[in-house]
């Protein structure tokens, strides 16, 4: 029964987490900590930390974490599926209309006005994560002398390789993780 | 739109790998999807990927999930959407399920912390590569309006922390005004 309540809670969270990512956190907190009292606030903040450290959308991470605590694997499946059902349905409808009307001239023009914004948003996300990697802090708290030289070196090499040789993106990401950890380990800094 | 079920396995595998290896937000994974589906597999066009990203802003839920629903739909209809979403949500489900059993050890392990920290610059390199190509193409349109919109949108997002949804929304309005104005002008010329 609790699982069914949770399932509904995550359907709601999925439906109302407009703006993605961090917009979902207060919603999850409301449902999980305040309304259904499944976790304490402390456990919840642990959950956010882990969700940030692992790949994947924070919403799915949270749903999986809560589902596992409450009902094991069935709980994981119910909660994760619950939180994607609303966006799945809405996006199917959007996809249908997009592919139906995207060749209409006026629609095409409106769409091309949104493309520069998307490029800008990707650029902003990329720069934020770069600064986080190089300085370990957000944009607001950067101290230039705190730059991490290992990360700077790896970034330069990764950038060179990807521009010059068109290497697989995942190989670049995993490669920088492995090489960086090795360097830190050899330097005795871990 | 032709549906191609033979692509389902590749679609699943691609989304699974991207989702498993990508840290940090929806726009990060969208740039990887662009690399995979536009550059590598050539299944969709670059403009289409940007449109899809813009459209995801009008739906609730994680950007990646939304984008994979639409790309999946394009490749193989509703079945394609299901397969793509499954590929997207399985990795975090598996990873978090395992970690939740011993997350204290995970959170405090220095090797994991270091690897995750360094991986960020790898992710940044991949995104900036994509951004350089995309921004180049916007500049190639030679429309001052679009170039200015790109710069202003960047400042709005990066410097002023304005939400992605608001930025895309404003550009949508500008786009509609642009169409109305052009249409009005043509009408006048005819008259």
């Amino acid at each position: 029964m609790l699982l069914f309540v949770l399932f509904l809670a995550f359907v709601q969270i999925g439906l109302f987490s407009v703006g993605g990512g961090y917009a979902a956190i207060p919603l999850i907190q409301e449902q999980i900590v305040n309304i259904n009292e499944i976790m304490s606030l402390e456990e919840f903040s642990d959950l956010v930390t882990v969700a940030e450290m692992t790949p994947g959308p924070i919403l799915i991470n949270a749903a999986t974490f809560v589902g596992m605590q409450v009902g094991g694997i069935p709980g994981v499946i119910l909660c994760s599926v619950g939180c994607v059902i609303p966006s799945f349905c809405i996006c199917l409808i959007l996809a249908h209309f997009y592919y139906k009307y995207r060749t209409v001239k006026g629609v095409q023009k409106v769409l091309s006005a949104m493309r520069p914004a998307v490029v800008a948003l990707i650029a902003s996300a990329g720069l934020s994560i770069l600064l986080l990697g190089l300085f370990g802090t957000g944009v607001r708290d950067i101290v230039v002398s705190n730059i991490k030289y290992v990360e700077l070196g790896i970034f330069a090499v990764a950038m060179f390789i990807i521009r010059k040789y068109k290497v697989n993106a995942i190989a670049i990401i995993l490669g920088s993780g492995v090489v960086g950890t090795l360097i830190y380990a050899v330097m005795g800094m871990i | 739109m032709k549906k191609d079920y033979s692509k389902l396995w590749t679609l699943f595998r691609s989304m699974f790998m991207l989702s498993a290896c990508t840290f940090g937000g929806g726009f990060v994974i969208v740039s990887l999807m662009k690399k995979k589906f536009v550059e590598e597999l050539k299944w969709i066009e670059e403009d289409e990927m940007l449109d899809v990203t813009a459209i995801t802003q009008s739906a609730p839920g994680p950007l990646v999930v939304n984008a994979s629903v639409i790309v999946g739909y394009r490749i193989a209809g509703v079945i394609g959407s299901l397969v793509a979403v499954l590929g997207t949500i399985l990795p975090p489900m598996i990873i978090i399920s395992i970690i939740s059993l011993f997350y204290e050890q995970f959170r405090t392990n220095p090797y994991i912390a270091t690897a995750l920290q360094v991986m960020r610059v790898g992710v940044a390199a991949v995104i900036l590569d994509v951004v350089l190509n995309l921004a180049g193409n916007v500049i190639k349109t030679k429309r001052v309006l679009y170039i200015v919109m790109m710069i202003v949108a960047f400042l709005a997002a990066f410097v002023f922390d304005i939400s992605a949804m608001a930025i895309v929304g404003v550009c949508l309005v500008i786009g509609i005004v642009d169409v109305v104005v052009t249409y009005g002008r043509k009408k006048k010329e005819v008259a």
Side-chain angles (χ1 to χ4, degrees):
Chain A
M1 199 56 212
L2 180 60
L3 273 183
F4 184 68
V5 173
L6 262 186
F7 172 76
L8 286 181
F10 274 103
V11 171
Q12 278 181 50
I13 296 170
L15 183 60
F16 293 110
S17 68
V18 179
Y22 294 92
I25 293 177
L27 287 172
I28 302 169
Q29 189 182 339
E30 175 74 17
Q31 289 283 343
I32 301 308
V33 181
N34 303 352
I35 298 179
N36 292 307
E37 291 174 356
I38 288 157
M39 283 185 170
S40 69
L41 195 58
E42 206 178 9
E43 285 172 311
F44 183 75
S45 70
D46 282 346
L47 154 67
V48 175
T49 315
V50 173
E52 274 173 0
M53 285 172 76
T54 46
I58 199 152
L59 184 56
I60 313 270
N61 290 350
T64 304
F65 198 91
V66 174
M68 193 71 180
Q69 305 279 315
V70 178
I73 306 286
V76 171
I77 296 170
L78 266 181
C79 291
S80 308
V81 170
C83 74
V84 296
I85 283 179
S87 39
F88 185 82
C89 299
I90 294 170
C91 285
L92 264 189
I93 297 169
L94 290 172
H96 175 77
F97 284 108
Y98 169 64
Y99 284 110
K100 197 165 178 190
Y101 294 111
R102 75 179 189 120
T103 45
V104 176
K105 234 178 165 185
V107 175
Q108 227 168 38
K109 211 161 177 192
V110 173
L111 285 170
S112 42
M114 295 200 288
R115 286 175 200 145
V118 174
V119 176
L121 288 165
I122 297 176
S124 168
L127 264 185
S128 299
I129 201 165
L130 176 63
L131 293 178
L132 205 56
L134 291 181
F135 298 97
T137 52
V139 191
R140 304 277 178 274
D141 314 301
I142 280 178
V143 179
V144 179
S145 57
N146 283 351
I147 190 157
K148 302 175 183 213
Y149 291 103
V150 176
E151 275 84 345
L152 185 64
I154 289 177
F155 173 70
V157 173
M159 201 71 212
F160 175 77
I161 293 176
I162 207 162
R163 290 302 287 177
K164 183 131 190 185
Y165 301 107
K166 306 257 166 232
V167 181
N168 183 292
I170 288 164
I172 292 277
I173 295 172
L174 294 181
S176 28
V178 171
V179 172
T181 311
L182 279 177
I183 294 175
Y184 273 113
V186 168
M187 283 162 50
M189 282 166 72
I190 298 182
Chain B
M1 193 173 39
K2 81 173 195 285
K3 291 170 187 172
D4 192 346
Y5 295 116
S6 66
K7 289 175 176 167
L8 285 178
W9 172 239
T10 313
L11 178 65
F12 175 80
R13 216 181 40 199
S14 307
M15 284 316 302
F16 190 92
M17 286 304 287
L18 291 183
S19 180
C21 302
T22 314
F23 298 83
F27 288 103
V28 171
I29 205 167
V30 153
S31 54
L32 279 124
M33 283 175 80
K34 189 250 169 195
K35 248 187 144 40
K36 186 82 198 177
F37 295 119
V38 178
E39 289 173 25
E40 215 178 301
L41 297 169
K42 300 191 167 55
W43 284 357
I44 53 177
E45 293 151 28
E46 182 176 302
D47 282 350
E48 215 176 328
M49 194 67 227
L50 293 176
D51 293 347
V52 168
T53 313
I55 293 168
T56 60
Q57 293 303 309
S58 58
L63 205 170
V64 198
V65 173
N66 298 350
S68 59
V69 171
I70 304 176
V71 170
Y73 182 82
R74 160 72 150 85
I75 308 298
V78 179
I79 305 284
S81 292
L82 278 171
V83 166
V85 169
L86 199 64
T88 307
I89 67 172
L90 270 181
M93 282 168 74
I94 296 168
I95 293 169
I96 296 283
S97 293
I98 295 168
I99 288 174
S100 72
L101 300 175
F102 45 92
Y103 70 101
E104 204 45 50
Q105 290 93 315
F106 175 82
R107 217 182 41 168
T108 48
N109 186 308
Y111 290 95
I112 292 176
T114 308
L116 291 173
Q117 156 69 16
V118 186
M119 262 168 156
R120 285 177 179 155
V121 293
V123 171
V126 174
I127 303 173
L128 293 181
D129 169 53
V130 173
V131 167
L132 285 176
N133 297 336
L134 290 176
N137 289 341
V138 171
I139 291 167
K140 266 185 226 152
T141 63
K142 289 196 177 138
R143 257 203 98 180
V144 180
L145 176 69
Y146 293 163
I147 298 170
V148 171
M149 277 166 79
M150 180 167 72
I151 295 167
V152 173
F154 174 77
L155 292 176
F158 191 70
V159 181
F160 298 106
D161 270 332
I162 294 173
S163 81
M165 208 168 65
I167 293 171
V168 172
V170 169
C171 291
L172 171 72
V173 173
I174 296 176
I176 292 171
V177 172
D178 185 32
V179 171
V180 172
V181 169
T182 325
Y183 181 71
R185 215 179 272 155
K186 269 189 196 143
K187 223 176 167 185
K188 232 181 224 167
E189 278 165 19
V190 174

